[in-house]
Amino acid sequence: MTVTYVIDGSRVTGLEQFWEVIGEAVNGPGGYFGRNFDALADCLHGGMGTPDDGDFVFEWRDHALSARALGHEETARQLRRSLDRAHPSNRAALRRRLDEALAGRGPTLFEQLVEILRNDGPGVLRLL
């Protein structure tokens, strides 16, 4: 039997809220299902609350609201935060990505999350 996890897009007002919403969708209040892209990809491979047989679906309801909240502005905000902590050898690449986000170009956080959910998990993503 397929398990459906609902991501309530109306609650996603930024990246931090996304981590809370997906964690609660899979593992209940206060639940964890990643706090960064790599951790999310790892969680999708099982053992973190999803069925071991991979028979699950994510329904991202009101995804258009999330797409706006996780757009270029939030992407730039997160890149600024990363820039301060980045290894010096990675700062130029992060600065280029930040400049792109500030110009309204390049992948948004929403697009990156959708890609991970579609490509790294055995489940299905439905954008509603």
Side-chain angles (χ1 to χ4, degrees):
M1 185 165 148
T2 302
V3 176
T4 300
Y5 300 107
V6 175
I7 299 171
D8 181 355
S10 68
R11 292 184 51 216
V12 177
T13 57
L15 187 58
E16 291 84 3
Q17 290 76 25
F18 171 80
W19 300 125
E20 291 173 15
V21 169
I22 197 169
E24 289 176 3
V26 175
N27 291 307
Y32 173 86
F33 202 72
R35 290 268 179 219
N36 61 56
F37 294 138
D38 291 334
L40 174 61
D42 288 345
C43 287
L44 287 167
H45 292 283
M48 294 302 295
T50 57
D52 290 334
D53 64 5
D55 192 12
F56 63 92
V57 172
F58 280 101
E59 279 188 7
W60 196 332
R61 297 182 184 165
D62 293 321
H63 76 279
L65 296 173
S66 298
R68 282 192 290 280
L70 298 170
H72 287 107
E73 185 177 329
E74 177 69 358
T75 302
R77 188 177 79 84
Q78 294 296 326
L79 287 167
R80 270 193 205 96
R81 292 178 67 206
S82 297
L83 194 58
D84 294 336
R85 298 185 309 261
H87 187 275
S89 64
N90 196 30
R91 287 191 182 134
L94 279 174
R95 170 53 70 186
R96 283 191 297 277
R97 288 177 51 206
L98 173 58
D99 290 343
E100 286 290 300
L102 289 170
R105 296 187 304 262
T108 65
L109 293 170
F110 177 79
E111 293 165 338
Q112 292 171 61
L113 290 166
V114 166
E115 182 177 341
I116 291 167
L117 288 166
R118 284 192 170 142
N119 296 334
D120 288 312
V124 174
L125 174 64
R126 293 186 193 134
L127 297 175
L128 305 174

